[in-house]
C-alpha cells in the first residue's frame, strides 16, 4: 500500500521547518509571554491556572517493522492544549528533536493562534521522535499508521484534527486519513487538513501562509499612509512561506531588495526579479549562485536597508545581538518564534512595528479551517472564494490585534496574546467548570 500518488514536486520528506527550541525549556519561554498578557488582563487566578496547563498529554510507543527485518520502537506524543473553543487543531512533526515540552509549547501556541483569528478550534500538536531521512517510504508509512492507531481515541473531526508540520506532508496526511477511516469503517476526510486536493484538500492552502503575510504587511503599511507599491522588503527564508510571500508582494508592486535561504543571501537594492529568482531556485534548489544580484551572507539579509523585514525561515534569528542593527520599520513574523524575548524589548525601544507570528502566519491554519469546513459540508469552494475569505479574516484580525495593543499601550505581540487569552477565557467563563 505504499505506492499510489506522491504529489509531483512535493518531496516525501520536507526540510526542517520550525525547530522550536527557544530556551532551555520551550514551554516556559512561550509561557513568559502568556504571563505578561494574563497580568495585563488581570486574568482570574483560577482561569490562569487552567490555561497554564495542557488538557491532555498522550505518550505512545510506536513499534515499526524495519524493511531489513527486526523491529524498532519510536516514542510519539500528542498534546491537546485547550479545546474550549472547538476541536483541537495542530500539526504532527517527525523529528529527532521532538520532546514533550516542545510539543506542549507548540500546542499552546496553536490555541492562541486559532483564537487570534477567531476560528472555532482549540490547539494541539503531535510528534514522533525519529529521523525520517533514515526511514524508507514503506517504513514511514508503517510508522505513520501505527502512530495514528495509537492516538486514535483523540482523533476525529469533532475532537482533534492534525495537519502537516516539520517533516510531514500531504502524503503523510493521506495515510493518517486512510488509517482513521479504516478504523471508522467509512471515509472521514475532515480528520486531517493539508491533504492533497484530490482527496478533500482545499485550493489555496499551499499559498495561504505567504498570502496571509502579504495581507498583514499591506495593512501595516496602510496604517502608515503607505501602500505595497514601492515598499522595500527583505525576506529571510525562500521556502513555502518566504517564496510565496515574496512573489505576491512583488506582484503587488513591492520591491524585494534581498532574499536568503540556507545556502546564503542575494541582494539587489533596485529590486530582484522574483519570477527570475524562482526559476533559478526551481532549477538549482537554492539562491546561491544567482547571477543577477550581489551575494551576501544569509544573516545580512536581516539588517539590509528596507522598509519591511519578513523572517520566514527559523526561530530565534532576531536576538539582542542584531536587533539594534535592523533597519526595517516593520517586521512581519512569517516564521514561528523568530524573535527572542530580549529582542522584543529592543525592537520596541526602536519603535519597530512587529506583526507577531500568531497573527502574521495564521493564514495557514485559517485555510486549514476552510478545508475542514468544506470537507464537512461536502461542498468545495473555488480558489477566489478561499482567498477572499482569508483576506477578510486576516484584515479583521490585524485590526483587532493592533486595536488591543493601542488600547492597552502594549506591543502587538502582547496585544495578540491578550486578544487570544480573552477569547479563550470568555468561553471558559460561559461554559463554567465541570465538576
Ligand atoms: P520551508 O521548509 O518550506 O522553508 C524554509 C526556508 O528557510 C528554506 O528556504 C530554507 O532554505 C530556509 N532556511 C533554513 N535555514 C536558514 C538560514 N539559516 N538562513 C536563511 N534561510 C534559512 O518552511 P516553511 O513552510 O516556509 O516554514 C517557514 C517558517 O514558517 C517556519 O517557522 C514554519 O513553522 C512557519 N510556518 C509555516 C507555515 C506553512 O503553512 N508552511 C504556517 C505557519 C508557520
Amino acid at each position: 500500500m505504499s505506492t499510489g500518488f506522491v504529489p509531483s514536486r512535493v518531496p516525501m520528506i520536507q526540510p526542517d521547518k520550525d525547530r522550536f527550541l527557544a530556551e532551555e525549556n520551550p514551554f516556559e519561554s512561550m509561557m513568559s509571554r502568556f504571563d505578561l498578557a494574563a497580568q495585563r488582563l488581570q486574568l482570574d487566578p483560577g482561569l490562569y491556572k487552567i490555561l497554564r496547563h495542557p488538557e491532555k498529554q498522550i505518550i505512545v510507543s510506536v513499534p515499526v517493522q524495519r524493511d531489513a527485518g527486526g523491529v524498532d520502537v519510536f516514542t510519539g506524543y500528542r498534546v491537546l492544549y485547550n479545546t474550549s473553543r472547538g476541536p483541537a487543531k495542530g500539526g504532527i512533526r517527525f523529528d529527532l528533536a521532538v520532546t514533550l515540552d516542545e510539543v506542549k509549547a507548540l500546542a499552546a501556541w496553536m490555541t492562541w493562534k486559532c483564537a487570534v483569528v477567531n476560528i472555532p478550534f482549540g490547539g494541539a500538536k503531535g510528534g514522533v521522535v525519529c529521523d525520517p531521512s533514515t526511514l524508507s517510504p514503506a517504513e514511514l508509512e508503517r510508522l505513520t499508521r501505527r502512530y495514528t492507531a495509537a492516538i486514535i481515541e483523540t482523533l476525529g473531526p469533532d475532537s482533534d484534527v492534525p495537519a502537516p508540520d516539520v517533516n510531514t506532508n500531504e502524503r503523510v496526511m493521506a495515510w493518517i486519513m486512510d488509517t482513521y477511516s479504516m478504523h471508522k469503517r467509512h471515509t472521514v476526510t475532515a480528520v486531517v487538513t493539508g491533504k492533497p486536493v484530490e482527496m478533500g484538500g482545499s485550493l489555496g492552502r499551499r499559498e495561504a501562509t505567504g498570502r496571509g503575510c502579504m495581507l498583514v504587511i499591506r495593512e501595516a503599511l496602510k496604517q502608515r499612509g503607505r501602500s505595497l507599491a514601492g515598499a522595500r522588503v527583505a525576506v529571510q527564508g525562500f521556502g513555502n512561506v518566504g517564496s510565496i510571500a515574496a512573489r505576491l508582494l512583488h506582484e503587488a508592486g513591492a520591491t524585494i531588495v534581498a532574499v536568503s535561504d540556507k545556502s546564503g543571501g542575494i541582494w539587489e537594492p533596485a529590486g530582484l526579479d522574483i519570477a527570475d529568482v524562482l526559476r533559478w531556485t526551481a532549477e538549482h534548489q537554492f539562491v546561491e549562485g544567482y547571477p543577477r544580484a550581489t551575494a551576501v551572507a544569509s544573516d545580512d539579509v536581516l539588517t539590509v536597508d528596507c522598509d519591511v523585514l519578513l523572517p520566514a525561515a527559523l526561530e530565534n534569528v532576531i536576538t539582542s545581538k542584531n536587533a539594534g542593527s535592523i533597519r526595517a520599520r516593520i517586521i512581519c513574523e512569517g516564521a514561528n518564534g523568530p524573535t527572542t524575548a530580549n529582542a522584543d524589548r529592543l525592537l520596541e525601544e526602536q519603535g519597530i512595528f512587529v506583526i507577531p507570528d500568531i497573527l502574521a502566519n495564521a493564514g495557514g491554519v485559517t485555510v486549514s479551517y476552510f478545508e475542514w469546513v468544506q470537507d464537512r459540508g461536502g461542498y468545495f469552494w473555488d480558489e477566489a472564494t478561499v482567498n477572499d475569505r482569508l483576506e477578510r479574516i486576516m484584515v479583521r484580525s490585524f485590526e483587532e490585534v493592533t486595536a488591543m495593543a493601542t488600547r492597552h499601550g502594549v506591543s502587538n505581540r502582547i496585544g495578540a496574546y491578550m486578544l487570544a487569552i480573552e477569547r479563550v477565557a470568555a468561553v471558559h467563563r460561559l461554559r463554567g467548570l465541570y465538576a
Side-chain angles (χ1 to χ4, degrees), residues 227-281:
S227 73
L228 283 173
R232 290 164 314 130
V233 185
V235 182
Q236 187 203 35
F238 209 59
N240 175 284
V241 179
S243 72
I244 288 169
R247 176 170 63 76
L248 295 173
L249 287 161
H250 182 67
E251 284 168 7
T255 302
I256 313 297
V257 293
V259 301
S260 68
D261 61 22
K262 64 170 101 166
S263 73
I266 52 173
W267 174 60
E268 172 46 71
L272 294 160
D273 177 347
I274 291 299
D276 192 46
V277 179
L278 283 167
R279 275 192 297 275
W280 174 271
T281 52

Side-chain angles (χ1 to χ4, degrees), residues 167-186:
N167 294 334
T168 58
N169 58 12
E170 292 184 350
R171 171 73 277 189
V172 172
M173 293 307 111
W175 287 328
I176 296 176
M177 181 280 220
D178 182 68
T179 305
Y180 181 84
S181 297
M182 295 313 289
H183 279 251
K184 292 290 157 190
R185 317 304 297 159
H186 63 271

Side-chain angles (χ1 to χ4, degrees), residues 14-19 93 113 165-166 205-206 208-210 236-243 260-264 285-286 298-299 311-315 317 333-338 357 361-365:
Q14 291 178 338
D16 277 8
K17 293 187 181 175
D18 54 335
R19 192 179 288 271
R93 58 177 55 184
K113 196 180 290 190
D165 195 71
V166 175
R205 174 63 187 87
R206 258 184 224 161
T209 309
Q236 187 203 35
F238 209 59
N240 175 284
V241 179
S243 72
S260 68
D261 61 22
K262 64 170 101 166
S263 73
Q285 194 179 0
F286 294 116
S298 187
D299 286 351
L314 305 167
E315 77 294 343
V317 293
E333 295 184 335
N336 280 319
D357 46 12
N361 68 38
V365 76

